Amino acid sequence: MKFTCLSKGGNFYFPPCHIITVSGFRILLDCPLDLSSLMIFSPIPTHAFSTPELPTPDSVDPKRQKHERPIDSNELIRAQPWFKTVTSLHLWNVPFIDVVLISSPMGMLGLPFFSRVNGFRAKIYVTEVTARIGQLMMEDLVLMNREFRQFYGCEESGLPQWMNWEKLDLLPSLFREIVLGEDGAELGGWMPLYSADDVKGCMQKVHTLKYAQEVCYNGTLIIEAVSSGLEIGTCNWTINGPKRNIACLSSSIFNSSHAMNFDYHALQGNDLIIYSDLSSPVLEDVKDNSYYSAPTSQNSSTLSADNDQEASAELLLSTSESLEEMEKLNFICSCIIDSVKAGGSVLIPIGRLGIILQLLELISLSLEASSLKVPIFIISSVAEELLAFTNIIPEWLCKQRQEKLFSGEPFFAHAQLIKEKKLHVFPAVHSPNLLKIWQEPCIVFSPHWSLRLGPVVHLLRRWRGDENSLLIMEEGVDAGLALLPFKPMAMKVLQCSFLSGIKLQKVQPLLKILQPKFVLFPEDLRQLVSYSDTNSPAFFYYCENETLRVPSLKNSSELEIAADSVSLIHCRRLTEESLGIGRLKGEFSVTHGKHQLRSGSEQADSSQSRPPLLHWGSLDLERLLAVLEKMGIRGSVEQGNSNTDSENAGVVHVYEPNKALIEVRENSTIISASNESLSSLIFEAVDGILSGL
Amino acid sequence: MAIECLVLGAGQEVGKSCAVVTINGKRIMFDCGMHMGYLDHRRFPDFSLISKSSDFNTAIDCIVITHFHLDHVGALPYFTEVCGYSGPIYMTYPTKALSPLMLEDYRKVMVDRRGEQELFSNDDIMKCMKKVIAVDLKQTVQVDKDLQIRAYYAGHVLGAAMFYAKVGDAAMVYTGDYNMTPDRHLGAAQIDRLQLDLLITESTYATTVRDSKYAREREFLKAVHKCVADGGKVLIPTFALGRAQELCILLDNYWERMNLKVPIYFSAGLTIQANMYYKMLISWTNQRVKETYATHNAFDFKNVRSFDRSLINAPGPCVLFATPGMISGGFSLEVFKLWAPSEMNLVTLPGYCLAGTIGHKLTTGKPTKIDLDKDIQISVRCQIHQLSFSPHTDAKGIMDLVKFLSPKHVILVHGEKPKMASLKGKIESDLGIQCYYPANNDTVCIPSTCWLKADASKAFFRSSLNPNFKFVKTISEDKSNLVSKETEATSVLQVHDERVAEGILIVERSKKAKVVHQNELLLMIGKDKHDVQFAYCCPVQIGNLERTKGMDFALSKNVVSTSDECSWLHLLFAKLSTKLGGNIQDFGQHLQVDSIHISICLKDICPYRTTNGPQKESAVFFCCTWSVADVNLAWEIISIMENLDLSII
């Protein structure tokens, strides 16, 4: 098996991307987009024509730009944004990919770029819910991007202006790094966004699955999605091949308060675990938030890396994590209430469905508790469908929400909120009905978290000067860059991080329970997870763009033989070794990952009478003569003289009933007879003396 | 290994479905239903046959319930709470959500209305349902290390499933009730092609083949429309779940299309609550209904309101869905009493009515008066319309499913004995599959597949997967082509690829069996190969050659040059290939067919020249060797060669 990490991703929104080769099949794990790189573009200017692009005094001297200095909002690229895909994936021949496994909606956003390639023939497996949510997210992206197209007009063919080397050279170093990567290789990963048709085409190629639904690829690989707990519908994949069982462990959450929990039991018993949960907060640079005067950074951080060695399964399932998450949400909620009480509006551009759903419930409760009548808006082209969708998928939710089904209540409160006119859902800011009922202060959920696309841009411009208003952002997003075009900001900013994977101290106990033989582990986490156990699995550490080869465990694979129907001929017992051998014949098939041998067609019968094909042992001439004599065949022995042959050949001349010759060497015998019947009689005699099969 | 199937209910009858199947030591109970026709001990399956000591937890590994109808789930609270079974119970999400409604409704009717002693309490139902593990379709559930179950969509009612169970190599499917054609709100049953030892299928309509439902739907709508247009009231007595929603979708759509404003009412709160469940479980309906969830959930009926008792006597037309079905009592009876005397009104009876109910009386005869009890008599002047919608598959559907799954054995349950007998005959004669239809409390035992597991080597797999092409030229005369008068014989090259897996099985005491390729065997057992070959030096006539002019290359017979050698070989090749077809190959120095090797023999005395054939002057000798695999072909070639004259071209 071969494994290549194409990208270790960045955060929740940009999951890792790997490619593995199993049993000769190439499997792509996730196909994400790096949407945080959108931040180098300017959002659609409000007064585009009144603020012409004047050269700033600095840009006259490009050399001076290399120095570190705060980037000016004028330096944002004013063009229709391009999107950054996983660059290394372009180095692979797309038609050679056999299977694509998608573990989350975020891991799907880059897929239309590849599924539209001529010759793309891979089977794409996605859970039903991820497919639906992923499709909505892609459609939303296309719609939001359309705003740019309307503004900048149709794109020129070829590379856009900003991609010229001269222009790239003028970019601030931070931007250059985002565009080019460390060695300039990543420029090739930029592409203009796919179209709605590409999305449709992509979805037509998708095969949707339920959790724990077995699907068999090419008769050989059995692929199964098991819940990962990260979001509704996200999954970890297991791949069972004839030689090994692989579990692909993506970002997972043990205790979710909306999605079905991480089903780690289903990953037990796999030989190999590809650990690709890179969500660990240690990976991210801890941003200095003091500049944004976020009063809460200590409350909302997940940095609690006390490494408990004695952790056990109980630790894995402890609810402390979810309690902590709940606390965070409650805190956010209290900040929101404070803001609206002060007359400010709240803007929440977070892209996590689960967080949005929970916040909606909490906010409405808090508003009720403090008897505030503040409307909540969700402005997004896909919100209506997304919300409706979450109330019809009980099979994908956590236990507590499923219980609501059995007691006949809706799983999430938003349906009721909409009915009570506390929550209003609109596709866009310019929706006519929105203006009719718009009132401030209000609470608005709206994409996109990069603050470059979607309704959030307009609302942020509206409220950025209001010091009572509040913007809720996620940590891990470069806030400085994200807010650049909206400066100066009087608006408060709350940055918070949410649990988006397995905490480091849980890695070891988890692996102890899963008991794999091999673990593919990110090099970055090597130092952080020490494994000192004696019966620990073999660790292989991977980095981006390095191919690892994982040794095979067994040489042979299991064959299932239909005991009742396969023909078994020439059974022999080798007495000296208490060994039984027999020749096996049947029809071979590979179905559902199993090699099976069952009775073939009619020919099985005819082969029963077939003589043995393989002989071993040595032929004693005297004994041969005696056996021949019994059959009525007479002959005489002539011991060969070794001058002609290096081997000592003994020859039996047969004269009765007909002329024949048997040439016997140590490891071979040649029978030459004048007719068929005599020849077969002699063979019978020879066969009787030698051992054969 | 064997599979044992004990039929505790629905054997040669409809009602109290319950089958206990033992596969490779694992025991599964499929369905745990009650019989609605009996009120004595016969209403429940005879659980004592499962375990004499009533220790059901060790006797049964799990219970699987296919859908929420009482003849499939009715005895479950009794079995868990009264009999004490506490092991795992599996059902789909909708079944888990809707079963308690059905059970509680039934319990209420039994206790509150008929005043019977209750068999299980509301508390029992709740406790029982708590033990249920909900499963999704196609989700593979590992019950324990060896037992695997999986649900497949069955149509029939919301959440109905067929269940697949597998232990070791043995596998089976229990269908429960299913429908092979989609209806207004549900899809058709759907299952993978599985390798099965046993299929247990329902056979309610074992001999009926139904026509399309659309005609009956139209008739129903016409009748309802006519009645309300004339200002009449329509009463549809129905059970809360399933039929009510299907008819409601039908009516709601029709109302929309025809722009009707006549109110449609739902009687009890139960049905409104049921609609709530249907809304949340919309992904279990059919594709068409499912797609509506975002914009307008199909179970958000636009024209449907809930009914108030005061509306019974309100003037004007309306449509009312009232529970229970069959007018067996309760609210539907109450309304019936008031509406039946008017000929303007209509009573529509969807589905089957049990004997003894008013519904049954209405559909069997045309009564003008119905005696409710000694004192009360209702005069019936309203119109009666019977709707024969059935969510069961018909005979064709059963045959289709059996044919599709091609199990080794079929057991029929949930049907009437004579019809089952005829279906059994059909399955055995048409499909060649063994079929049984045991009576209640009978056991059927069938053998199950057993696979011998062995470790096979790479070489074996490689040789098994190697293409084994055979090229056969067949001369076929195109008889159908009458236009062309030339009877042109077209030679068709047929390519066969019959892969035969051949290997050697090695069984060593107390070790896993191995399968190797024959080339690996000797190495494994540490023996030296002994080659056994056949040889024959075959003379071929060239007798007439001297007389042939222009063939001077063979004149000096004693000096045979290499080029001559090749010429003879080529000549032989040409001759043999016309007789043998394309299998023979010319390698320049020798010819070869499989293991048969033919080359010119230049020796004066060849040890393999055993015949006293023609003189050397008039013949060329070809030394042939072969191994035992090709004995027959070799002798065939030799006989061809001996009768050949190479000089005749």
Side-chain angles (χ1 to χ4, degrees):
Chain A
M1 190 208 110
K2 281 190 285 186
F3 170 90
T4 314
C5 169
L6 301 179
S7 153
K8 49 189 190 190
N11 50 24
F12 173 85
Y13 300 104
F14 184 34
C17 172
H18 311 295
I19 207 158
I20 56 177
T21 313
V22 190
S23 302
F25 300 112
R26 290 221 174 93
I27 303 174
L28 174 67
L29 297 172
D30 280 333
C31 189
L33 272 186
D34 179 8
L35 289 171
S36 65
S37 56
L38 276 179
M39 290 182 196
I40 62 168
F41 294 93
S42 163
I44 288 179
T46 32
H47 313 290
F49 302 104
S50 60
T51 54
E53 219 176 310
L54 291 170
T56 51
D58 283 352
S59 67
V60 181
D61 181 10
K63 274 179 195 161
R64 275 189 57 196
Q65 288 211 323
K66 310 264 176 187
H67 300 298
E68 282 303 319
R69 54 162 188 81
I71 304 162
D72 189 83
S73 66
N74 279 327
E75 285 170 289
L76 291 168
I77 298 167
R78 293 186 178 218
Q80 184 166 339
W82 276 33
F83 289 73
K84 195 177 173 187
T85 58
V86 173
T87 315
S88 330
L89 191 49
H90 294 278
L91 303 175
W92 293 74
N93 196 338
V94 171
F96 284 0
I97 296 172
D98 298 293
V99 178
V100 181
L101 302 180
I102 300 294
S103 58
S104 67
M106 294 70 74
M108 195 176 175
L109 298 182
L111 203 51
F113 286 122
F114 297 91
S115 64
R116 68 181 179 185
V117 169
N118 218 345
F120 178 90
R121 47 161 203 93
K123 281 231 161 151
I124 308 168
Y125 294 113
V126 193
T127 65
E128 272 176 14
V129 170
T130 295
R132 190 83 201 99
I133 296 176
Q135 183 186 5
L136 290 174
M137 283 170 74
M138 293 191 281
E139 283 169 358
D140 197 27
L141 215 51
V142 170
L143 270 175
M144 290 190 287
N145 193 51
R146 188 174 292 165
E147 219 178 338
F148 278 98
R149 185 166 298 174
Q150 278 161 358
F151 182 78
Y152 289 109
C154 259
E155 250 180 300
E156 67 265 54
S157 54
L159 289 180
Q161 292 240 315
W162 62 269
M163 271 183 136
N164 292 342
W165 280 109
E166 305 92 73
K167 295 256 179 173
L168 288 175
D169 261 346
L170 294 176
L171 288 177
S173 58
L174 175 66
F175 286 16
R176 267 219 315 279
E177 205 189 307
I178 290 172
V179 175
L180 299 169
E182 272 164 31
D183 46 3
E186 286 177 16
L187 187 64
W190 289 85
M191 296 178 99
L193 191 63
Y194 38 75
S195 67
D197 282 342
D198 293 333
V199 176
K200 207 187 269 170
C202 174
M203 293 316 294
Q204 276 164 357
K205 291 176 185 167
V206 158
H207 296 253
T208 59
L209 302 178
K210 308 260 192 188
Y211 280 147
Q213 178 183 349
E214 283 177 4
V215 64
C216 188
Y217 178 76
N218 207 9
T220 316
L221 300 178
I222 295 177
I223 297 170
E224 203 179 304
V226 289
S227 114
S228 71
L230 181 66
E231 265 292 353
I232 303 172
T234 61
C235 67
N236 294 315
W237 291 96
T238 62
I239 305 164
N240 282 11
K243 290 245 176 97
R244 66 170 93 238
N245 304 334
I246 302 167
C248 309
L249 183 52
S250 61
S251 299
S252 303
I253 292 178
F254 287 93
N255 253 309
S256 168
S257 42
H258 58 290
M260 185 178 273
N261 285 346
F262 173 28
D263 180 8
Y264 60 90
H265 288 294
L267 305 183
Q268 252 168 329
N270 286 291
D271 308 323
L272 171 72
I273 287 187
I274 299 173
Y275 186 93
S276 74
D277 184 341
L278 287 137
S279 62
S280 162
V282 188
L283 277 181
E284 297 158 12
D285 305 343
V286 182
K287 298 271 163 10
D288 179 22
N289 299 317
S290 54
Y291 178 69
Y292 292 102
S293 65
T296 61
S297 54
Q298 74 276 21
N299 286 30
S300 53
S301 111
T302 54
L303 282 166
S304 55
D306 49 326
N307 208 341
D308 190 357
Q309 295 285 335
E310 306 283 71
S312 62
E314 269 171 54
L315 170 78
L316 296 184
L317 288 173
S318 72
T319 48
S320 67
E321 258 174 22
S322 51
L323 287 177
E324 206 177 296
E325 287 299 294
M326 216 30 159
E327 239 169 70
K328 258 183 248 172
L329 291 178
N330 279 326
F331 177 77
I332 294 170
C333 215
S334 69
C335 294
I336 291 171
I337 299 295
D338 289 347
S339 252
V340 290
K341 270 188 183 156
S345 292
V346 182
L347 187 55
I348 310 168
I350 287 170
R352 300 187 184 216
L353 182 59
I355 299 290
I356 295 173
L357 294 174
Q358 289 177 69
L359 271 180
L360 272 176
E361 292 176 339
L362 287 175
I363 292 170
S364 65
L365 284 178
S366 308
L367 286 177
E368 212 160 300
S370 43
S371 53
L372 282 166
K373 283 222 171 358
V374 175
I376 309 171
F377 293 94
I378 300 183
I379 306 172
S380 152
S381 62
V382 295
E384 189 189 1
E385 191 165 355
L386 206 52
L387 290 180
F389 185 63
T390 54
N391 261 338
I392 62 161
I393 44 171
E395 303 87 357
W396 306 80
L397 304 179
C398 65
K399 277 270 160 327
Q400 306 88 281
R401 307 259 173 202
Q402 282 188 359
E403 280 309 316
K404 296 198 173 188
L405 166 71
F406 303 128
S407 51
E409 302 162 47
F411 322 124
F412 294 99
H414 54 251
Q416 192 59 30
L417 295 177
I418 293 172
K419 216 173 253 171
E420 290 167 4
K421 305 233 183 284
K422 289 177 180 163
L423 172 64
H424 311 275
V425 181
F426 292 101
V429 266
H430 47 75
S431 307
N433 288 330
L434 173 71
L435 299 173
K436 265 185 227 160
I437 60 164
W438 184 260
Q439 85 183 55
E440 287 181 24
C442 58
I443 300 162
V444 181
F445 291 85
S446 159
H448 182 265
W449 55 266
S450 64
L451 307 186
R452 294 298 180 269
L453 298 170
V456 71
V457 175
H458 305 275
L459 295 167
L460 199 50
R461 287 214 171 97
R462 183 181 175 87
W463 291 328
R464 64 178 176 182
D466 179 5
E467 58 191 7
N468 289 325
S469 290
L470 174 68
L471 172 70
I472 297 176
M473 283 178 76
E474 224 171 309
E475 245 172 53
V477 172
D478 184 346
L481 184 55
L483 295 172
L484 189 61
F486 306 100
K487 278 184 199 166
M489 295 241 321
M491 193 175 183
K492 273 184 288 192
V493 177
L494 173 63
Q495 253 199 311
C496 43
S497 74
F498 301 102
L499 186 64
S500 38
I502 303 169
K503 286 194 173 183
L504 278 179
Q505 67 265 34
K506 289 195 176 183
V507 173
Q508 233 171 312
L510 175 64
L511 289 179
K512 217 173 260 174
I513 288 171
L514 298 185
Q515 289 188 314
K517 297 190 180 73
F518 301 110
V519 179
L520 281 173
F521 207 71
E523 178 70 45
D524 298 0
L525 298 181
R526 183 181 203 151
Q527 303 305 321
L528 303 167
V529 179
S530 57
Y531 215 104
S532 50
D533 213 330
T534 41
N535 51 8
S536 80
F539 273 73
F540 295 82
Y541 296 96
Y542 64 82
C543 311
E544 260 179 25
N545 297 322
E546 261 175 36
T547 299
L548 283 179
R549 216 174 258 277
V550 183
S552 174
L553 275 176
K554 41 188 174 181
N555 261 322
S556 55
S557 321
E558 192 168 77
L559 176 75
E560 295 192 341
I561 304 159
D564 46 338
S565 56
V566 163
S567 61
L568 196 62
I569 48 178
H570 298 309
C571 290
R572 248 162 236 249
R573 161 154 277 145
L574 300 183
T575 41
E576 64 269 38
E577 282 148 74
S578 69
L579 209 65
I581 53 173
R583 197 174 273 275
L584 200 62
K585 194 169 177 178
E587 211 166 84
F588 179 71
S589 61
V590 187
T591 41
H592 215 70
K594 281 179 182 150
H595 299 117
Q596 294 182 331
L597 199 65
R598 59 184 76 223
S599 62
S601 32
E602 317 80 57
Q603 43 171 262
D605 302 323
S606 63
S607 65
Q608 291 286 356
S609 56
R610 204 187 51 187
L613 295 174
L614 184 69
H615 291 92
W616 63 91
S618 58
L619 200 57
D620 179 45
L621 286 181
E622 294 304 320
R623 205 167 147 213
L624 177 62
L625 265 186
V627 174
L628 286 174
E629 188 128 15
K630 264 186 204 159
M631 297 169 139
I633 299 166
R634 287 165 196 284
S636 59
V637 178
E638 177 199 325
Q639 276 300 341
N641 31 7
S642 47
N643 53 359
T644 47
D645 254 353
S646 54
E647 277 181 85
N648 210 4
V651 179
V652 177
H653 291 284
V654 173
Y655 46 82
E656 204 184 308
N658 233 322
K659 242 179 102 178
L661 174 116
I662 310 163
E663 221 174 69
V664 182
R665 290 187 180 77
E666 205 185 323
N667 282 324
S668 67
T669 297
I670 295 173
I671 300 166
S672 179
S674 53
N675 63 52
E676 191 177 348
S677 60
L678 180 60
S679 155
S680 68
L681 275 175
I682 295 172
F683 176 76
E684 218 173 281
V686 171
D687 182 44
I689 299 167
L690 291 170
S691 313
L693 194 66
Chain B
M1 291 292 184
I3 299 179
E4 226 179 72
C5 176
L6 166 64
V7 175
L8 286 183
Q12 302 178 357
E13 63 165 3
V14 175
K16 64 164 177 183
S17 284
C18 184
V20 179
V21 183
T22 315
I23 323 173
N24 288 348
K26 296 282 165 189
R27 220 148 180 228
I28 310 163
M29 179 189 280
F30 290 99
D31 281 338
C32 190
M34 80 167 35
H35 201 296
M36 305 291 280
Y38 298 117
L39 292 171
D40 53 10
H41 70 278
R42 286 174 298 175
R43 103 175 99 198
F44 287 147
D46 185 359
F47 294 122
S48 67
L49 291 175
I50 300 169
S51 162
K52 286 205 180 75
S53 60
S54 295
D55 182 8
F56 297 114
N57 288 329
T58 48
I60 287 182
D61 291 285
C62 75
I63 296 181
V64 167
I65 303 288
T66 56
H67 63 280
F68 62 69
H69 279 159
L70 288 174
D71 60 332
H72 292 261
V73 73
L76 188 65
Y78 177 79
F79 189 54
T80 60
E81 303 313 309
V82 182
C83 298
Y85 173 78
S86 61
I89 306 162
Y90 294 92
M91 47 178 93
T92 61
Y93 282 87
T95 308
K96 182 176 177 184
L98 298 170
S99 290
L101 300 191
M102 295 295 279
L103 289 166
E104 177 57 16
D105 194 37
Y106 172 78
R107 194 194 62 82
K108 263 195 208 144
V109 170
M110 293 301 281
V111 177
D112 303 349
R113 305 239 166 83
R114 292 195 211 155
E116 277 183 49
Q117 194 193 345
E118 64 176 20
L119 296 154
F120 44 79
S121 62
N122 180 298
D123 207 35
D124 287 338
I125 298 173
M126 290 306 144
K127 271 194 209 150
C128 166
M129 294 318 287
K130 276 252 170 340
K131 294 174 189 164
V132 172
I133 302 163
V135 299
D136 201 353
L137 293 175
K138 294 190 179 174
Q139 176 192 347
T140 307
V141 180
Q142 206 75 44
V143 176
D144 58 33
K145 210 171 106 276
D146 306 308
L147 172 58
Q148 225 178 45
I149 60 167
R150 196 182 301 149
Y152 287 98
Y153 196 77
H156 189 62
V157 289
L158 196 77
M162 309 195 242
F163 274 89
Y164 165 80
K166 186 183 165 202
V167 183
D169 297 325
M172 62 160 297
V173 162
Y174 176 87
T175 63
D177 296 352
Y178 61 102
N179 193 357
M180 296 291 275
T181 46
D183 69 15
R184 284 282 150 184
H185 70 305
L186 297 174
Q190 203 190 357
I191 193 162
D192 293 335
R193 215 176 273 274
L194 301 157
Q195 282 182 20
L196 298 180
D197 296 297
L198 172 65
L199 172 71
I200 303 179
T201 173
E202 67 134 321
S203 50
T204 321
Y205 292 95
T207 53
T208 333
V209 175
R210 284 199 313 262
D211 56 344
S212 151
K213 235 162 69 166
Y214 291 97
R216 276 170 287 150
E217 282 182 4
R218 241 193 338 268
E219 211 177 289
F220 162 73
L221 291 171
K222 229 168 77 188
V224 172
H225 191 176
K226 189 173 167 293
C227 174
V228 293
D230 296 342
K233 292 176 159 62
V234 182
L235 171 66
I236 309 177
T238 165
F239 287 107
L241 299 168
R243 191 58 44 77
Q245 282 73 25
E246 187 189 355
L247 293 179
C248 218
I249 287 190
L250 197 61
L251 282 179
D252 204 50
N253 276 340
Y254 186 76
W255 254 230
E256 201 87 323
R257 239 182 16 248
M258 307 303 282
N259 200 21
L260 292 177
K261 292 284 174 260
V262 178
I264 301 174
Y265 294 114
F266 260 35
S267 74
L270 178 63
T271 330
I272 297 282
Q273 197 190 349
N275 285 347
M276 177 83 192
Y277 281 105
Y278 271 75
K279 261 197 280 185
M280 292 193 285
L281 293 164
I282 196 165
S283 60
W284 293 74
T285 60
N286 66 25
Q287 202 58 37
R288 209 176 51 80
V289 174
K290 225 187 290 187
E291 277 159 9
T292 64
Y293 76 89
T295 43
H296 167 70
N297 194 311
F299 295 103
D300 249 334
F301 300 114
K302 282 186 189 135
N303 299 290
V304 175
R305 305 142 213 210
S306 63
F307 195 69
D308 194 86
R309 209 167 278 273
S310 64
L311 291 166
I312 297 181
N313 291 315
C318 71
V319 178
L320 171 66
F321 285 88
T323 52
M326 311 181 196
I327 324 187
S328 57
F331 192 63
S332 58
L333 179 62
E334 197 177 317
V335 177
F336 178 74
K337 277 192 263 181
L338 293 162
W339 289 6
S342 163
E343 57 261 296
M344 272 165 72
N345 295 342
L346 170 73
V347 175
T348 298
L349 291 156
Y352 179 70
C353 292
L354 263 183
T357 58
I358 294 176
H360 187 76
K361 284 178 198 155
L362 291 175
T363 50
T364 43
K366 285 239 175 263
T368 48
K369 283 187 168 65
I370 283 180
D371 299 317
L372 208 56
D373 49 46
K374 274 180 276 164
D375 312 318
I376 309 166
Q377 195 183 46
I378 310 168
S379 68
V380 180
R381 271 192 248 126
C382 66
Q383 307 148 58
I384 307 292
H385 184 260
Q386 202 195 353
L387 248 180
S388 55
F389 280 8
S390 173
H392 289 274
T393 180
D394 63 357
K396 192 181 166 296
I398 299 173
M399 288 301 281
D400 286 348
L401 184 79
V402 174
K403 197 173 168 194
F404 175 80
L405 289 173
S406 293
K408 298 213 175 82
H409 305 268
V410 175
I411 292 179
L412 302 177
V413 292
H414 202 283
E416 292 158 40
K417 192 177 175 185
K419 291 182 183 173
M420 288 164 109
S422 114
L423 182 64
K424 166 197 151 86
K426 204 155 171 250
I427 289 173
E428 287 187 340
S429 64
D430 290 10
L431 305 173
I433 297 170
Q434 285 239 355
C435 184
Y436 316 82
Y437 58 108
N440 277 350
N441 303 339
D442 276 2
T443 303
V444 175
C445 217
I446 61 152
S448 69
T449 328
C450 186
W451 296 89
L452 180 71
K453 309 256 191 317
D455 275 332
S457 70
K458 261 186 194 162
F460 168 77
F461 286 126
R462 214 174 300 131
S463 77
S464 307
L465 292 168
N466 266 351
N468 177 24
F469 292 121
K470 282 216 170 76
F471 301 93
V472 181
K473 257 192 193 134
T474 50
I475 312 232
S476 67
E477 273 168 57
D478 200 353
K479 283 177 190 161
S480 62
N481 196 353
L482 295 167
V483 187
S484 74
K485 296 228 167 111
E486 306 162 76
T487 49
E488 199 184 323
T490 45
S491 154
V492 182
L493 180 69
Q494 285 185 314
V495 185
H496 295 268
D497 180 10
E498 280 172 14
R499 296 178 196 195
V500 189
E502 255 198 274
I504 289 164
L505 181 73
I506 306 175
V507 191
E508 205 171 337
R509 199 173 294 150
S510 73
K511 272 190 191 169
K512 195 169 179 185
K514 281 185 200 128
V515 175
V516 295
H517 188 251
Q518 73 170 42
N519 294 346
E520 297 173 301
L521 174 72
L522 295 173
L523 200 66
M524 295 241 358
I525 59 174
K527 301 282 183 195
D528 288 326
K529 188 177 178 182
H530 193 107
D531 248 334
V532 179
Q533 285 254 314
F534 295 84
Y536 188 79
C537 197
C538 180
V540 178
Q541 289 282 348
I542 50 164
N544 304 332
L545 200 72
E546 288 124 349
R547 274 164 263 150
T548 322
K549 281 183 183 177
M551 289 279 212
D552 52 354
F553 60 87
L555 280 176
S556 49
K557 288 157 285 198
N558 291 329
V559 197
V560 185
S561 66
T562 354
S563 66
D564 291 338
E565 237 181 86
C566 292
S567 312
W568 290 124
L569 207 60
H570 287 319
L571 274 174
L572 182 67
F573 173 70
K575 296 267 182 188
L576 285 179
S577 44
T578 52
K579 301 221 169 182
L580 292 172
N583 290 335
I584 191 160
Q585 280 173 293
D586 186 355
F587 286 96
Q589 296 296 313
H590 69 270
L591 309 181
Q592 201 163 345
V593 193
D594 296 335
S595 74
I596 306 165
H597 184 282
I598 306 168
S599 59
I600 293 242
C601 180
L602 297 174
K603 291 178 200 157
D604 283 334
I605 309 160
C606 178
Y608 312 130
R609 209 170 291 163
T610 46
T611 41
N612 303 317
Q615 288 305 297
K616 200 169 185 293
E617 284 72 30
S618 57
V620 177
F621 283 91
F622 292 93
C623 243
C624 310
T625 61
W626 63 94
S627 67
V628 65
D630 300 302
V631 164
N632 295 335
L633 181 63
W635 285 109
E636 193 187 317
I637 290 177
I638 285 167
S639 82
I640 293 171
M641 284 164 68
E642 282 181 332
N643 295 322
L644 211 63
D645 192 333
L646 279 186
S647 57
I648 302 162
I649 301 164

